[in-house]
Amino acid sequence: MNELHPDLSRIVVSTDQIQSRVKELADQISADFVGGERLYIIGILKGAFIFLADLTRHLKVPHTVDFMALSSYGKTTTSGAVRILMDLREPIEGQHVIIVEDIVDTGHTLHYLNRVLKGRKPASLRSCVLVRKQRDNLSVPIDYLGFDIPDVWVVGYGLDFADQYRTLPYIAELKRE
Ligand code: PRP
């Protein structure tokens, strides 16, 4: 059992719940792509780095890992403008791609990524998201989802507040003050 950080009010998804669900998601992906071509796994920085590291170490199928970094204004404006800060190293044309995200909040980031990456003509494009907030968001389809969570500010397991708390092993609600 992990001790709760004093800035946090409650655990939303525990370390054990995360670890067993991440393994289940990796098993599901491995089963779906067994006997197939190498997967191209894209982690969206910064938030996805811990989820991606755990997920990929459970995969039983060949895969390549790459990263993108995006800047999003989706939480403070209704425009949901997203911009690429760092792009992939290689073209993904003809590849079986899985986007790995820590969270879908408004849905603007995943919606944007789907549009941009589809335009690069991958053989297939799927998404794997650890948590989705239950709120008014763009209903972007998610192929592999860890958990639906309440619409509260959560940190831990990659998720941050002002770049803090990313390395906590659980996901917890931040105190309001
Ligand atoms: C977070 C998260 C997703 C995005 C989801 O990234 O990692 O990429 O927000 O939000 P949305 O569904 O409202 O678009 P953030 O912009 O906080 O950057 P970070 O990953 O570097 O913390």
Side-chain angles (χ1 to χ4, degrees), residues 45-47 75 101-109 160 166:
L45 297 173
K46 298 180 186 175
K75 289 165 202 76
E101 264 286 29
D102 50 342
I103 188 166
V104 163
D105 186 349
T106 65
H108 285 297
T109 305
D160 74 309
R166 288 195 199 272

Side-chain angles (χ1 to χ4, degrees), residues 106-122:
T106 65
H108 285 297
T109 305
L110 190 56
H111 182 262
Y112 171 85
L113 276 168
N114 274 331
R115 185 167 55 77
V116 167
L117 296 181
K118 252 178 212 158
R120 299 184 186 182
K121 300 184 171 48

Side-chain angles (χ1 to χ4, degrees), residues 40 42 66 88 90-97 116-125:
Y40 200 95
I42 302 177
D66 202 349
L88 301 170
E90 293 164 32
I92 54 167
E93 185 167 352
Q95 305 266 15
H96 292 282
V97 172
V116 167
L117 296 181
K118 252 178 212 158
R120 299 184 186 182
K121 300 184 171 48
S124 65
L125 179 63

